[in-house]
Amino acid sequence: MTKNNERYKIVNKVKRIVIKIGTNVLTSSGHRLDTSLMEHLCLQVCWLMEKGKQVIIVTSGAIGAGMQILGWKKRPTKMAKLQAAASVGQSRLMRFYERIFREEGYNVGQVLLTRDIFESKKGRKNALATLETLLTYKIIPVINENDAVAFEEIRFGDNDQLSAMVVELIGADMLVLLTDVNGLFDADPKHNGKVNFISEVRKITQKHITIAREGTPSKLGSGGMESKILAMKKVLELGCYGIIANGKKPWIIKDIFLGKKEGTIFIPEGK
Ligand code: GLU
C-alpha cells in the first residue's frame, strides 16, 4: 500500500463520514449482541476522530438485541412485537455505545429518526441543527430508526436507506456500510462456488442490482445487498463516496482509512 494509491487519496480527503453498522455485524450466533466486536469497532471510530474526521454512526441491532433479552429466537412478524423488541433493544444498545465511548473520552448522542422528519422542511432543519451541534461538540451521533413508534407510512424499513438520507441531510463525504460480507461479488457468494469480487464501482447498473437482489436475505436485519446497492446509488448521485465492507473483519475501519483495498468502493462520476 502506498500513499499514492487512489483509495488512500480518497479516504484521506473525506472529512465527514457516516458509518452504518448492520444487525448481522453487531450480533453473533444469531441473536447475541457481540459486545467485544462493538467495542473493537468503536475504538476504531475513536481513532478516526483523533485523525480529525467527523463520524456519525447509524446503528442497527435494536430488534436483534431486544430479541436476545426477551428470549425470542425467531424474528417476530407482527409489527407490535417488533416494536416492543426494538424498544427493549435500543436502550441496551445505547448503554454499550455510551460506556465504550465514555471510556475513551467521548460522549454519544442518541438520535432516533423517522421518514417523515426528512419529508418536511422544518423536520430536516431541526434534525440537521441537532446533528451539527453534536458534531461541533465532538459528540458522536448514534442514529437509528425510531422503531418503537414508526408505523408503516413513516418507516424507512431499513437502515441502509436511512444512512443514505443522513448522508444527504448533513452533507457527508462518505458512507461506509458495514455488513457480514466482504462487499459486492459478481454472483451471490453464499450460493455459488466461484465468484469474483468487485472492488470498485463507478456506475451502478441494472446488473449490480439484479445480482444483489438474488442475494440471500438476512434473517435478522432487514436490508440485504439490494438495499445497500440502492443506498449507494443515492450516495453516488449526491457526488459522495461509498464503501460496502465486512464489519466482522478485525481492524476493518482502520484498514479502510489507511487506504487498504478492503470492501467495494463506490466512486462518483467525475471524481
Ligand atoms: N432499525 C432496525 C434495528 O435497529 C434495523 C433495520 C435494519 O436492519 O436495517 O433493529
Side-chain angles (χ1 to χ4, degrees):
M1 187 209 19
T2 76
K3 295 203 167 182
N4 288 328
N5 85 25
E6 197 185 4
R7 287 264 192 143
Y8 180 82
K9 286 185 190 148
I10 292 170
V11 294
N12 202 31
K13 76 177 173 205
V14 296
K15 173 131 193 348
R16 194 170 268 200
I17 304 151
V18 175
I19 300 182
K20 182 248 170 178
I21 314 177
T23 301
N24 291 333
V25 176
L26 290 172
T27 51
S28 62
S29 47
H31 313 275
R32 292 196 114 27
L33 253 190
D34 188 343
T35 50
S36 55
L37 186 82
M38 263 177 95
E39 186 158 356
H40 182 59
L41 290 171
C42 292
L43 294 180
Q44 294 172 73
V45 168
C46 295
W47 174 81
L48 275 180
M49 302 277 294
E50 300 302 323
K51 282 170 72 81
K53 311 276 191 196
Q54 293 179 325
V55 183
I56 297 97
I57 294 179
V58 175
T59 186
S60 297
I63 295 173
M67 284 165 58
Q68 177 194 338
I69 296 167
L70 298 169
W72 295 350
K73 295 270 174 292
K74 242 181 87 200
R75 189 182 163 95
T77 46
K78 256 182 85 183
M79 188 56 102
K81 278 187 88 175
L82 280 171
Q83 294 189 304
S87 162
V88 173
Q90 180 66 28
S91 41
R92 166 74 59 103
L93 207 52
M94 283 314 294
R95 191 147 60 83
F96 282 117
Y97 281 116
E98 215 264 336
R99 180 183 58 74
I100 299 164
F101 281 118
R102 179 70 76 97
E103 278 169 14
E104 299 305 309
Y106 290 101
N107 286 309
V108 295
Q110 170 181 264
V111 182
L112 299 178
L113 298 171
T114 43
R115 184 182 279 276
D116 56 333
I117 292 170
F118 288 84
E119 283 162 4
S120 85
K121 211 171 150 195
K122 203 168 158 194
R124 290 176 67 91
K125 200 172 152 213
N126 208 33
L128 177 61
T130 308
L131 291 168
E132 287 288 3
T133 308
L134 290 172
L135 294 175
T136 302
Y137 287 96
K138 289 199 165 33
I139 302 165
I140 302 168
V142 180
I143 301 177
N144 195 0
E145 178 160 18
N146 195 353
D147 293 305
V149 296
F151 48 90
E152 212 47 63
E153 286 72 22
I154 61 165
R155 283 185 80 77
F156 295 98
D158 68 70
N159 280 356
D160 301 320
Q161 304 314 311
L162 167 60
S163 40
M165 287 170 90
V166 170
V167 166
E168 181 179 24
L169 180 73
I170 60 167
D173 307 304
M174 177 177 262
L175 172 62
V176 179
L177 294 179
L178 294 181
T179 181
D180 62 347
V181 290
N182 289 350
L184 193 62
F185 291 84
D186 62 0
D188 179 10
K190 287 186 179 157
H191 292 305
N192 298 275
K194 188 160 166 20
V195 292
N196 298 306
F197 188 67
I198 303 172
S199 86
E200 189 179 304
V201 174
R202 285 179 185 266
K203 197 172 167 31
I204 292 174
T205 62
Q206 191 51 45
K207 193 171 158 244
H208 293 124
I209 299 173
T210 310
I211 297 165
R213 186 172 298 152
E214 284 162 3
T216 324
S218 152
K219 281 196 209 64
L220 286 170
S222 41
M225 192 50 88
E226 186 183 5
S227 94
K228 286 174 187 50
I229 296 294
L230 294 176
M232 285 304 170
K233 193 162 181 282
K234 186 171 172 66
V235 163
L236 288 186
E237 282 162 9
L238 294 167
C240 304
Y241 294 96
I243 292 187
I244 299 177
N246 192 339
K248 295 241 184 227
K249 269 194 175 174
W251 302 114
I252 187 68
I253 297 177
K254 211 166 175 181
D255 282 347
I256 289 172
F257 287 93
L258 284 172
K260 293 190 187 168
K261 278 202 163 178
E262 281 294 346
T264 303
I265 190 164
F266 295 77
I267 302 175
E269 267 177 301
K271 288 212 179 165

